[in-house]
Amino acid sequence: QVQVAESGGGSVQTGGSLRLSCKASEFSNCMGWFRQAPGKEREGVAAISGRSGRTYYADSVKGRFIISRESGKSTMDLQLNDLNAEDTAMYYCAARASTGNCVSFDWKNADAYGYWGQGTQVTVSS
């Protein structure tokens, strides 16, 4: 069983920045960040393949968030810039059991990730 843990959430004002980190107990090739705001469904934010370095972003965060990880490592970061109230949510790190790369047509599919962290809260206020 792969253990996944996030860190780095907090409260910031509009326009501020935060950096989230995730550590998995074992290497997982495809890892991603999801978020869930109160009353809303969980949504994919970004994903990255540990071998290829290929990244994917939701349209709502493209140009503001940056996902990164060292090749072959089990850690992953998410830099959140220019935050706004719509970014307020619980952010979850997720890892896949399969060895394949993240792919464009299903990186947002939460059911494809077998391992999840407990989440870290990001709150953006004006």
Side-chain angles (χ1 to χ4, degrees), residues 87-124:
D87 297 316
T88 295
M90 186 71 78
Y91 283 70
Y92 297 90
C93 175
R96 290 193 175 186
S98 63
T99 59
N101 290 319
C102 306
V103 291
S104 61
F105 60 83
D106 83 338
W107 71 265
K108 292 184 181 180
N109 179 14
D111 291 338
Y113 295 80
Y115 309 110
W116 292 81
Q118 294 297 309
T120 185
Q121 179 68 38
V122 171
T123 302
V124 185

Side-chain angles (χ1 to χ4, degrees), residues 52-126:
S52 70
R54 182 78 180 265
T55 59
Y56 299 90
Y57 295 94
D59 288 343
S60 59
V61 307
K62 204 170 292 184
R64 300 188 298 121
F65 291 9
I66 302 171
I67 190 170
S68 62
R69 65 186 294 192
E70 290 186 56
S71 180
K73 299 293 186 182
S74 61
T75 56
M76 175 180 68
D77 292 333
L78 185 68
Q79 178 68 35
L80 292 68
N81 299 318
D82 192 22
L83 287 160
N84 58 61
E86 285 69 41
D87 297 316
T88 295
M90 186 71 78
Y91 283 70
Y92 297 90
C93 175
R96 290 193 175 186
S98 63
T99 59
N101 290 319
C102 306
V103 291
S104 61
F105 60 83
D106 83 338
W107 71 265
K108 292 184 181 180
N109 179 14
D111 291 338
Y113 295 80
Y115 309 110
W116 292 81
Q118 294 297 309
T120 185
Q121 179 68 38
V122 171
T123 302
V124 185
S125 58
S126 57

Side-chain angles (χ1 to χ4, degrees), residues 17-37:
S17 297
L18 283 173
R19 190 173 185 87
L20 308 183
S21 295
C22 174
K23 181 173 177 59
S25 58
E26 299 176 19
F27 176 78
S28 171
N29 192 17
C30 180
M31 296 181 69
W33 289 97
F34 288 74
R35 67 185 181 185
Q36 188 167 19

Side-chain angles (χ1 to χ4, degrees), residues 2-20:
V2 176
Q3 305 297 318
V4 179
E6 310 93 340
S7 62
S11 297
V12 294
Q13 292 189 321
T14 299
S17 297
L18 283 173
R19 190 173 185 87
L20 308 183

